[in-house]
Amino acid sequence: MRRVVCPGSFDPVTNGHLDIISRAAQLYDEVVVAVMLNPNKTALFTAAERVELIAEATKKLDNVRVDQFEGLIVDFCRDNDISAIVKGLRAVSDFDYEMQMAQMNYSQAGVETLFMTTNPLYAFLSSSLVKEFARFGGDVSGLVPAPVLDQLNRRLSES
Ligand code: PNS
């Protein structure tokens, strides 16, 4: 079974993430979307909420499952029999850090990283920008799946 992981914070998942996840799902037997739990980082959504939103957004993709992890992604890969990480690359600004992480993960644990070029439609997109735009009343309906839009508007109206 060729199983890969798409790791990230996904706070929240965007259409750019979903594009990478669905393209990876066409190439591999199983894609695990792994939500990183980072107690030091303030998130808009809890890990459980992020997992649920991704599960809802990927429910039509039979070979995608969603999980969460704490600690090193290479340990998650070992525990789940995953040999490669799939990441989207938006621009050269992503490249340096992604390259460093990929080399670290390969040199320390033999876990490969495969980069997919982001669909140009989503090249500018990030969870942070979506949150900022929405927080100040911007329309992000074309940038995130419908359930995320609902939850985002609800959460921001509470704060
Ligand atoms: O969506 P993000 O925040 O850009 O995702 C970054 C993520 C979670 C993929 C990356 O920070 C990661 O893999 N963190 C897990 C901790 C880890 O393994 N760190 C060592 C990397 S060499």
Side-chain angles (χ1 to χ4, degrees), residues 7-10 36 41 69 71-74 87 101 104-105:
S9 306
F10 301 109
M36 182 178 67
K41 206 168 157 186
F69 75 103
L72 294 177
I73 187 64
V74 292
K87 289 278 192 79
M101 283 198 289
M104 183 82 168
N105 288 333

